[in-house]
């Protein structure tokens, strides 16, 4: 009897294994339909400098284990290296904020640019320039990424923008104006800035005004009505981009005029090929 039971159990086990082996290996997914209600998960493009040479930059970003980027742009020769697939998250933004959005790693593509960053010496802080070939390659790379993900011009920002005071990259020598001339980002209308300058020279705004305007641009800034250290850091970050000749963080009239234009509908212009620049309105 025991022998018959063992035979029956063995036969049942074999039948069960046979049934399992015939089950499909995965779900039956039909991908012949696609919804029109979708867009890319990459909403932001964030630009950095490595503050290291090429060899160290590659080692840190590919094998360091703590930081990465989707692309690493070499200085000499100017070649773009993809280190992380654009559909995956790279660890480049860290603690970050822009226009109500936090922790931007999950919604951004990061480009690290090989650049020495800055050195502090007897004459103060000195930033390293960007070679022309590297700038040209960067413009091509950005245009390629933007075309695929439809990233809006006002969402192409620097590491310093999303972490003012804590980060300085890509620094005051980064060619933001070149990116504007290439139609990649919007730029404040020079005529409007000039027109508003006398107003702010006569009536300098207070700290609360600057904090409100900086917050409207997208920065995370205190709203305490005081010209504190963090507020000055945010002003300096704004100046690095739009007025790099002086990024002291002082709330001067020219900075006020720039802020007014940047936050006024129609104040930002976007270059268009073979046509006059057109007004650009942020759609936060």
């Amino acid at each position: 009897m025991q022998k018959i039971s063992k035979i029956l159990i063995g036969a049942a086990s074999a039948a069960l294994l046979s049934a399992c082996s015939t089950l499909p290996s995965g779900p039956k997914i039909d991908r012949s339909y696609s919804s029109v209600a979708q867009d890319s998960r990459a909403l932001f493009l964030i630009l950095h400098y490595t503050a290291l040479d090429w060899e160290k930059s590659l080692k840190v970003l590919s094998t360091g284990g703590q930081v990465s980027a989707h692309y690493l742009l070499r200085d000499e020769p100017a070649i773009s290296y993809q280190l992380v697939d654009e559909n995956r998250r790279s660890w480049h933004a860290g603690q970050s904020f822009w226009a109500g959005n936090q922790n931007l790693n999950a919604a951004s593509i990061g480009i690290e640019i090989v650049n020495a960053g800055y050195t502090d010496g007897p004459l103060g802080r000195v930033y390293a320039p960007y070679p022309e070939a590297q700038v040209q390659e960067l413009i091509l790379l950005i245009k390629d990424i933007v075309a695929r993900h439809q990233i809006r011009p006002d969402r192409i920002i620097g590491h310093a923008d999303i972490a003012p005071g804590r980060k300085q990259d890509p620094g005051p020598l980064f060619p933001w104006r070149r990116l504007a001339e290439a139609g990649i980002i919007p730029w404040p209308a020079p005529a409007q800035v000039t027109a508003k300058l006398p107003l702010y020279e006569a009536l300098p705004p207070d700290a609360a005004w600057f904090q409100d305007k900086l917050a409207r641009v997208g920065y995370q800034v205190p709203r305490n009505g005081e010209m504190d250290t963090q507020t000055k850091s945010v002003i300096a970050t704004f100046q690095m981009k739009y007025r790099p000749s002086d990024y002291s963080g002082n709330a001067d009239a020219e900075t006020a005029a720039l802020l007014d234009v940047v936050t006024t509908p129609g104040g930002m212009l976007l270059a268009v090929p073979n046509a006059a620049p057109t007004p650009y309105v942020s759609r936060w």
Side-chain angles (χ1 to χ4, degrees), residues 97-99 160-161 164 214-215 217-221 234 237-238 241-242:
F97 177 96
W98 187 254
D161 293 318
L214 290 165
V217 174
Y219 294 102
Q220 186 172 40
V221 62
V234 179
T237 299
F238 176 84
K241 179 179 288 186
Y242 296 111

Side-chain angles (χ1 to χ4, degrees), residues 235-268:
I235 291 174
T237 299
F238 176 84
Q239 292 168 336
M240 278 188 181
K241 179 179 288 186
Y242 296 111
R243 209 256 325 256
S245 60
D246 180 0
Y247 50 92
S248 61
N250 293 325
D252 54 45
E254 185 179 15
T255 303
L258 281 164
L259 266 172
D260 191 342
V261 172
V262 170
T263 55
T264 298
M268 297 293 277

Side-chain angles (χ1 to χ4, degrees), residues 62-226:
S62 61
T63 64
Q66 299 299 316
V67 64
S68 61
H70 293 92
Y71 294 94
L72 174 60
L73 176 50
R74 191 172 182 174
D75 51 350
E76 180 59 43
I79 300 173
S80 300
Y81 295 81
Q82 184 171 19
L83 305 182
V84 177
D85 188 281
E86 290 179 2
N87 294 315
R88 296 182 62 82
R89 180 176 63 179
S90 73
W91 305 344
H92 64 98
Q95 184 178 351
S96 50
F97 177 96
W98 187 254
N101 300 274
Q102 301 185 59
N103 301 319
L104 299 182
N105 276 339
S108 65
I109 290 176
I111 299 176
E112 286 277 1
I113 306 166
V114 174
N115 179 278
Y118 65 83
T119 55
D120 288 325
L123 300 178
R125 181 163 292 181
V126 179
Y127 283 83
Y130 291 84
E132 176 61 24
Q134 191 181 47
V135 174
Q136 293 181 15
E137 172 66 14
L138 177 63
I139 289 174
L140 294 175
L141 177 60
I142 292 175
K143 286 185 174 182
D144 181 61
I145 294 170
V146 167
R148 280 182 281 104
H149 294 276
Q150 299 300 304
I151 298 175
R152 297 205 315 252
D154 51 351
R155 288 181 169 177
I156 300 172
I157 48 184
H159 199 183
D161 293 318
I162 62 176
R166 186 172 67 86
K167 296 294 182 178
Q168 293 76 40
D169 55 315
L173 295 187
F174 182 78
W176 289 109
R177 188 65 180 264
R178 289 280 299 279
L179 267 58
E181 292 169 352
I184 292 173
I185 63 170
W187 199 256
Q192 293 190 36
V193 175
T194 300
K196 291 179 181 291
L197 187 57
L199 169 64
Y200 294 113
E201 288 175 336
L203 298 171
D206 59 14
W209 183 94
F210 274 92
Q211 291 172 343
D212 176 68
K213 292 293 186 181
L214 290 165
R216 293 189 186 196
V217 174
Y219 294 102
Q220 186 172 40
V221 62
R223 304 300 289 271
N224 54 17
E226 300 177 7

Side-chain angles (χ1 to χ4, degrees), residues 152 154 216-217 280-284:
R152 297 205 315 252
D154 51 351
R216 293 189 186 196
V217 174
Y280 180 85
V281 179
S282 174
R283 294 180 293 154
W284 291 124

